Coordinates of all heavy atoms in Angstrom, one line a residue:
I360 N -40.8 73.2 59.9 CA -40.6 72.2 61.0 C -41.1 72.7 62.3 O -40.9 72.0 63.3 CB -39.1 71.8 61.1 CG1 -38.3 73.0 61.5 CG2 -38.6 71.2 59.8 CD1 -36.8 72.6 61.8
D361 N -41.8 73.8 62.3 CA -42.3 74.4 63.6 C -43.4 73.5 64.2 O -43.6 73.6 65.4 CB -42.8 75.8 63.4 CG -43.9 75.9 62.4 OD1 -43.7 75.4 61.3 OD2 -45.0 76.5 62.7
G362 N -44.0 72.6 63.5 CA -45.0 71.7 64.0 C -44.5 70.4 64.5 O -45.2 69.6 65.0
W363 N -43.2 70.2 64.4 CA -42.6 68.9 64.9 C -42.7 68.8 66.4 O -42.2 69.7 67.1 CB -41.1 68.8 64.5 CG -41.0 68.4 63.0 CD1 -41.9 68.2 62.1 CD2 -39.7 68.3 62.3 NE1 -41.4 67.9 60.9 CE2 -40.0 67.9 61.0 CE3 -38.4 68.4 62.7 CZ2 -39.0 67.7 60.1 CZ3 -37.4 68.2 61.8 CH2 -37.7 67.8 60.4
S364 N -43.3 67.8 66.9 CA -43.4 67.5 68.4 C -42.0 67.0 68.9 O -41.7 67.2 70.1 CB -44.5 66.5 68.7 OG -44.2 65.3 68.1
A365 N -41.3 66.4 68.1 CA -40.0 65.9 68.5 C -38.9 66.3 67.5 O -39.0 66.0 66.3 CB -40.0 64.3 68.6
K366 N -37.9 67.1 68.0 CA -36.9 67.6 67.1 C -35.5 67.3 67.7 O -34.5 67.5 67.0 CB -37.0 69.2 67.1 CG -38.3 69.7 66.6 CD -38.3 71.2 66.7 CE -39.7 71.8 66.6 NZ -39.8 73.2 66.9
S367 N -35.4 66.8 68.9 CA -34.1 66.5 69.5 C -33.5 65.2 68.9 O -33.9 64.1 69.2 CB -34.2 66.4 71.0 OG -33.0 66.0 71.6
N368 N -32.6 65.4 68.0 CA -32.0 64.3 67.3 C -30.5 64.1 67.8 O -29.7 65.0 67.5 CB -32.0 64.5 65.8 CG -31.7 63.2 65.0 OD1 -30.9 62.4 65.4 ND2 -32.4 63.0 63.9
P369 N -30.2 63.0 68.5 CA -28.9 62.9 69.1 C -27.8 62.4 68.1 O -26.7 62.2 68.5 CB -29.1 61.9 70.2 CG -30.2 61.0 69.6 CD -31.1 61.9 68.8
A370 N -28.1 62.2 66.8 CA -27.2 61.6 65.9 C -25.9 62.4 65.7 O -26.0 63.7 65.5 CB -27.9 61.4 64.5
H371 N -24.8 61.8 65.8 CA -23.5 62.5 65.6 C -22.6 61.6 64.8 O -21.6 61.0 65.4 CB -22.9 62.9 66.9 CG -23.7 64.0 67.6 ND1 -23.6 65.3 67.2 CD2 -24.5 64.0 68.7 CE1 -24.4 66.1 67.9 NE2 -24.9 65.3 68.9
G372 N -22.8 61.3 63.6 CA -22.0 60.5 62.7 C -21.2 61.2 61.7 O -21.3 62.5 61.6
P373 N -20.5 60.5 60.9 CA -19.6 61.2 59.9 C -20.3 62.0 58.8 O -19.7 62.9 58.3 CB -18.8 60.0 59.3 CG -18.9 58.9 60.3 CD -20.3 59.1 60.9
V374 N -21.5 61.6 58.4 CA -22.2 62.2 57.3 C -22.9 63.5 57.8 O -24.0 63.4 58.5 CB -23.2 61.3 56.6 CG1 -23.9 62.0 55.4 CG2 -22.5 60.0 56.2
R375 N -22.4 64.6 57.5 CA -23.0 65.9 58.0 C -24.1 66.3 57.0 O -24.0 66.3 55.8 CB -21.9 67.0 58.1 CG -20.9 66.7 59.2 CD -19.8 67.7 59.2 NE -20.3 69.1 59.3 CZ -20.6 69.6 60.5 NH1 -20.5 68.9 61.6 NH2 -21.0 70.9 60.6
L376 N -25.3 66.7 57.6 CA -26.5 67.0 56.9 C -26.9 68.5 57.1 O -26.5 69.1 58.1 CB -27.6 66.1 57.3 CG -27.4 64.6 57.3 CD1 -28.6 63.9 57.8 CD2 -27.1 64.2 55.8
S377 N -27.7 69.0 56.2 CA -28.3 70.3 56.3 C -29.6 70.4 55.6 O -29.9 69.5 54.8 CB -27.3 71.3 55.8 OG -27.1 71.2 54.4
F378 N -30.4 71.4 55.9 CA -31.6 71.7 55.1 C -31.0 72.5 53.9 O -30.4 73.6 54.0 CB -32.5 72.6 55.9 CG -33.2 71.9 57.0 CD1 -32.8 72.0 58.3 CD2 -34.3 71.1 56.8 CE1 -33.4 71.4 59.4 CE2 -35.0 70.5 57.8 CZ -34.5 70.6 59.1
P379 N -31.2 71.9 52.7 CA -30.6 72.5 51.5 C -31.1 73.8 51.1 O -32.3 74.1 51.3 CB -30.8 71.4 50.4 CG -32.1 70.7 50.9 CD -32.0 70.7 52.4
G380 N -30.3 74.7 50.5 CA -30.7 75.9 49.9 C -31.1 77.0 50.8 O -30.7 77.0 52.0
N381 N -31.8 78.0 50.3 CA -32.3 79.2 51.0 C -33.2 78.8 52.2 O -34.3 78.2 51.9 CB -32.9 80.1 50.1 CG -33.4 81.4 50.7 OD1 -33.3 81.6 51.9 ND2 -34.0 82.3 49.9
P382 N -32.8 79.0 53.4 CA -33.7 78.6 54.6 C -35.0 79.3 54.6 O -36.0 78.8 55.2 CB -32.9 78.9 55.8 CG -31.9 79.9 55.4 CD -31.6 79.6 53.9
S383 N -35.1 80.4 53.9 CA -36.4 81.2 53.9 C -37.2 81.0 52.7 O -38.2 81.8 52.4 CB -36.1 82.7 54.2 OG -35.3 83.2 53.2
H384 N -36.8 80.1 51.8 CA -37.6 79.8 50.6 C -39.0 79.5 50.9 O -39.3 78.6 51.8 CB -36.9 78.7 49.8 CG -37.4 78.7 48.3 ND1 -38.7 78.3 48.0 CD2 -36.7 79.0 47.2 CE1 -38.8 78.4 46.7 NE2 -37.6 78.8 46.1
P385 N -40.0 80.1 50.3 CA -41.4 79.9 50.6 C -42.0 78.6 50.3 O -43.0 78.2 50.9 CB -42.1 81.0 49.8 CG -41.2 81.3 48.7 CD -39.8 81.1 49.2
V386 N -41.3 77.7 49.5 CA -41.9 76.5 49.1 C -42.0 75.5 50.3 O -43.0 74.7 50.4 CB -41.1 75.8 48.0 CG1 -39.8 75.2 48.4 CG2 -42.0 74.8 47.3
R387 N -41.1 75.6 51.3 CA -41.2 74.6 52.4 C -42.4 74.9 53.2 O -43.1 74.0 53.6 CB -39.9 74.8 53.3 CG -38.6 74.1 52.7 CD -37.6 74.0 53.8 NE -36.3 73.5 53.3 CZ -35.3 74.3 53.0 NH1 -35.4 75.6 53.0 NH2 -34.2 73.8 52.5
K388 N -42.6 76.1 53.6 CA -43.8 76.5 54.4 C -45.1 76.2 53.7 O -46.1 75.7 54.2 CB -43.7 77.9 54.9 CG -44.8 78.3 55.9 CD -44.7 79.7 56.4 CE -45.7 80.0 57.5 NZ -47.1 79.7 57.1
A389 N -45.1 76.5 52.4 CA -46.3 76.3 51.6 C -46.6 74.8 51.5 O -47.8 74.4 51.6 CB -46.1 76.9 50.2
W390 N -45.6 74.0 51.3 CA -45.7 72.5 51.3 C -46.3 72.0 52.6 O -47.2 71.3 52.6 CB -44.4 71.9 50.9 CG -44.3 70.4 50.7 CD1 -44.1 69.5 51.6 CD2 -44.5 69.7 49.5 NE1 -44.1 68.2 51.1 CE2 -44.4 68.4 49.8 CE3 -44.8 70.1 48.2 CZ2 -44.5 67.4 48.8 CZ3 -44.9 69.1 47.2 CH2 -44.8 67.8 47.5
A391 N -45.6 72.4 53.7 CA -46.1 72.0 55.0 C -47.5 72.4 55.3 O -48.3 71.6 55.8 CB -45.1 72.5 56.1
D392 N -47.8 73.6 55.0 CA -49.2 74.1 55.3 C -50.2 73.4 54.4 O -51.4 73.2 54.9 CB -49.3 75.6 55.1 CG -48.5 76.4 56.2 OD1 -48.2 75.7 57.3 OD2 -48.3 77.6 56.1
T393 N -49.8 73.1 53.2 CA -50.8 72.4 52.3 C -51.1 71.0 52.9 O -52.3 70.6 52.9 CB -50.1 72.3 50.9 OG1 -50.0 73.6 50.4 CG2 -51.0 71.5 50.0
F394 N -50.1 70.3 53.3 CA -50.3 69.0 53.8 C -51.0 69.0 55.2 O -51.7 68.0 55.6 CB -49.0 68.1 53.8 CG -48.7 67.6 52.4 CD1 -47.9 68.3 51.5 CD2 -49.3 66.5 51.9 CE1 -47.6 67.9 50.3 CE2 -49.0 66.0 50.6 CZ -48.2 66.7 49.8
K395 N -50.7 70.0 55.9 CA -51.5 70.2 57.2 C -53.0 70.3 56.9 O -53.8 69.7 57.6 CB -51.0 71.4 58.0 CG -49.7 71.2 58.7 CD -49.2 72.5 59.3 CE -47.9 72.4 60.0 NZ -47.4 73.7 60.5
S396 N -53.3 71.1 55.9 CA -54.7 71.2 55.5 C -55.3 70.0 55.0 O -56.5 69.7 55.1 CB -54.9 72.4 54.5 OG -54.3 72.0 53.2
I397 N -54.5 69.1 54.3 CA -55.0 67.8 53.8 C -55.1 66.8 54.9 O -55.8 65.8 54.8 CB -54.1 67.3 52.7 CG1 -54.1 68.3 51.5 CG2 -54.4 65.9 52.2 CD1 -53.1 68.0 50.4
G398 N -54.4 67.1 56.0 CA -54.4 66.1 57.1 C -53.2 65.1 57.1 O -53.3 64.1 57.7
H399 N -52.1 65.5 56.3 CA -51.0 64.6 56.2 C -49.7 65.3 56.4 O -48.9 65.4 55.5 CB -51.0 63.9 54.8 CG -52.1 62.9 54.7 ND1 -52.2 61.7 55.5 CD2 -53.2 62.8 53.9 CE1 -53.3 61.0 55.2 NE2 -53.9 61.7 54.2
Y400 N -49.5 65.9 57.6 CA -48.2 66.5 57.9 C -47.5 65.6 58.9 O -48.1 65.2 59.9 CB -48.5 67.9 58.5 CG -47.3 68.6 59.1 CD1 -46.4 69.2 58.3 CD2 -47.1 68.6 60.5 CE1 -45.3 69.9 58.8 CE2 -46.0 69.3 61.0 CZ -45.1 69.9 60.2 OH -44.0 70.5 60.7

Side-chain angles (χ1 to χ4, degrees):
I360 65 173
D361 56 311
W363 284 358
S364 60
K366 304 174 192 170
S367 177
N368 195 322
H371 291 287
V374 181
R375 292 176 59 81
L376 305 177
S377 64
F378 289 99
N381 179 358
S383 59
H384 196 291
V386 74
R387 284 193 185 95
K388 186 175 186 306
W390 184 267
D392 289 347
T393 296
F394 281 94
K395 284 176 184 176
S396 69
I397 295 172
H399 289 298
Y400 173 77

